[in-house]
Amino acid sequence: MNSEINTDVVIVGAGSAGLYALREVRRARKSFILIDTGPLGTTCARVGCMPSKVALHAAKLWAGCNKLSQIGVTGTDVLSIDLSATWSALRAQRDKFSHSAATKARNAAGEHLIIGAARFLEPTLIEVDSINGKQTIRASSVVIATGSRPVVPAWLEPVKNRMVTTDDFFELSALPERVGILGLGAIGLEMGAALSRLGVEVIGADLASTVAGITDPVIAKQATAYFGSEMTLWLGAPVSVERTEKGVLVRSGDNQAEVDLILSALGRRPNVDMLGLAEAGFPIGERGMPVFDTRTLQIGHLPVFIAGDANGFRPLMHEAADEGAIAGFNAVQETVTRFRRKVAVGIAFTDPDICSVGARFDELHLEHVVIGSASGEANGRAKILGAESSLLRVYADARDGQLLGASILADGGEHLAHLLAWAIQRGETATSLLELPFYHPVMEEMLQTALQEIAKKVTMPGGVPLGLVADEFS
């Protein structure tokens, strides 16, 4: 007979959110049990942000060889790349990240880790099907941090033997010569750029009319032109696939091409559908998702909290870390705390990076907004780097120039995105930021240019020069 285990907190899921929740539970010196289906190792480390960046870095190094002739280097035309060796090295580096994450989970949980599938019988009563049989656990509070998995629509079933998801891609033993990427969000476009620069023929297709979820039409046009010069892009039309003798025939609108393999990057879905939440008495909203407060992460009024990709709110690693800490903290408190959420930041490390900070273009009331822009064609550092295609658009309140958001396509855009995120969260205006130093020549001068355009639109002429502050004691 299976006896019931009692503990203070059960954490379901040992990914980023689960481990940050565990940190807070341990900090409060509460008893816990950590449950995970395995394999251990966070989505970021195993199949997401880290492996894709490894591939992008290798691709950048190889693609850079083709530019050496511009500075007088000869012999580059005889260079070659062994993609089998390249891919093996990338997988080995990925394995290091994954192993490190898995080791951290094991060390943090120790003997309190159970590998198995969890299902809720009641909001605080969980049954786990593990290698040791079924175990029932009663907790005072619960954190759900079960992560997400790739969306695989039914229409891909006929080509499943020639298709991998972003979770499977780095398990391939070798790279194919031709890849069709379905879905050009951040990960799809990152992998497309990396593979194309490594010499793989890439066909990228998406029902959306833009890449990487860009909503600013000016940035979208620039990005489509740039990445369309590196790989084939089919945008804005439904996609169909058909198995052929040697691969897969991909169709989109009037376009069609045969590829060796399909990489499905059509988004991810939260792993909550197999937890039995509705049957256990949880409040369920749209698409079968539990109803929760985004600032407390509490589900209804239950002592249960949901964090990370499992809640689908902001499925990014840094958000999962914050949410894990929020959920873990609230799970061990007598009174639930509401937390301020940080400014939203999204980055595709596509070199040039595609970034969204704060309010997105499609969220703005344009009649109340001024936009400052800057182009790499007018930036000295961008010209040196060959990054003239860089483009920055900053959104500000038309009344006082307070920064609201930005859309970025730029070399080193990750750094501009962070600067803007910090500034927006601090409530900075275009004028207040211009009072800070800008070195020359740097990519950050693009931000200076955009801020100057905003400031000129919202401030009255006259007074001290823009960007300077008079010393009141002089």
Side-chain angles (χ1 to χ4, degrees), residues 272 276-279 281-291 299:
V272 297
L277 300 182
E279 296 84 350
F282 286 83
I284 302 297
E286 296 180 4
R287 300 188 300 276
M289 290 295 295
V291 179
I299 298 177

Side-chain angles (χ1 to χ4, degrees), residues 457-471:
K457 292 177 180 178
V458 299
T459 59
M460 296 295 292
V464 300
L466 192 61
L468 299 180
V469 179
D471 187 346

Side-chain angles (χ1 to χ4, degrees), residues 7-340:
T7 191
D8 291 326
V9 183
V10 166
I11 301 172
V12 186
S16 297
L19 293 180
Y20 274 86
L22 177 57
R23 182 194 69 182
E24 295 304 307
V25 173
R26 293 182 62 190
R27 194 163 68 94
R29 301 186 183 279
K30 299 291 185 179
S31 62
F32 67 89
I33 291 177
L34 178 65
I35 304 168
D36 195 89
T37 58
L40 293 177
T42 65
T43 296
C44 175
R46 288 191 301 107
V47 300
C49 38
M50 301 311 291
S52 60
K53 306 312 171 288
V54 170
L56 282 162
H57 181 64
K60 181 176 183 177
L61 293 176
W62 172 240
C65 293
N66 299 323
K67 299 179 181 180
L68 291 176
S69 60
Q70 299 173 6
I71 59 169
V73 177
T74 59
T76 58
D77 55 324
V78 299
L79 292 174
S80 62
I81 185 170
D82 182 345
L83 284 183
S84 296
T86 301
W87 193 241
S88 178
L90 298 188
R91 292 180 67 203
Q93 193 169 356
R94 184 284 306 263
D95 290 344
K96 290 180 181 179
F97 285 118
S98 182
H99 177 73
S100 175
T103 300
K104 287 179 181 177
R106 291 192 187 94
N107 290 343
E111 61 183 9
H112 306 293
L113 173 65
I114 298 177
I115 300 297
R119 185 173 183 83
F120 284 81
L121 304 177
E122 299 172 11
T124 56
L125 182 63
I126 299 172
E127 182 180 76
V128 184
D129 189 1
S130 70
I131 57 173
N132 298 319
K134 292 187 183 296
Q135 296 176 276
T136 306
I137 306 168
R138 173 77 68 178
S140 299
S141 60
V142 178
V143 174
I144 299 173
T146 45
S148 62
R149 65 184 185 276
V151 172
V152 182
W155 55 270
L156 286 177
E157 180 68 20
V159 298
K160 64 180 181 180
N161 293 331
R162 290 276 184 173
M163 185 271 295
V164 295
T165 69
T166 49
D167 274 11
D168 307 321
F169 192 72
F170 277 85
E171 301 308 318
L172 294 174
S173 58
L175 289 174
E177 294 182 1
R178 304 169 299 175
V179 172
I181 299 180
L182 306 185
L184 293 169
I187 293 295
L189 189 63
E190 284 182 351
M191 291 311 303
L195 293 172
S196 178
R197 292 164 190 170
L198 286 171
V200 176
E201 181 182 347
V202 176
I203 305 289
D206 201 310
L207 182 60
S209 59
T210 63
V211 295
I214 302 170
T215 62
D216 186 305
V218 179
I219 299 291
K221 181 179 179 180
Q222 187 91 331
T224 300
Y226 185 92
F227 295 104
S229 69
E230 293 192 322
M231 67 188 95
T232 300
L233 297 180
W234 297 340
L235 301 172
V239 179
S240 64
V241 294
E242 177 185 334
R243 182 69 188 268
T244 65
E245 183 178 346
K246 295 183 179 180
V248 179
L249 184 66
V250 183
R251 294 189 180 94
S252 176
D254 297 328
N255 302 300
Q256 67 175 41
E258 187 179 47
V259 296
D260 302 311
L261 184 74
I262 293 291
L263 170 58
S264 176
L266 295 169
R268 302 181 71 85
R269 60 178 297 182
N271 289 327
V272 297
D273 50 320
M274 294 176 285
L275 297 176
L277 300 182
E279 296 84 350
F282 286 83
I284 302 297
E286 296 180 4
R287 300 188 300 276
M289 290 295 295
V291 179
F292 72 100
D293 185 321
T294 58
R295 296 201 174 188
T296 65
L297 303 182
Q298 184 176 20
I299 298 177
H301 298 289
L302 300 170
V304 182
F305 306 84
I306 185 166
D309 286 12
N311 66 37
F313 178 56
R314 290 182 179 176
L316 296 165
M317 191 277 167
H318 70 283
E319 296 286 358
D322 283 351
E323 290 190 355
I326 291 171
F329 179 84
N330 278 333
V332 296
Q333 304 300 318
E334 292 185 6
T335 303
V336 171
T337 299
R338 291 176 61 81
F339 288 86
R340 294 179 184 176

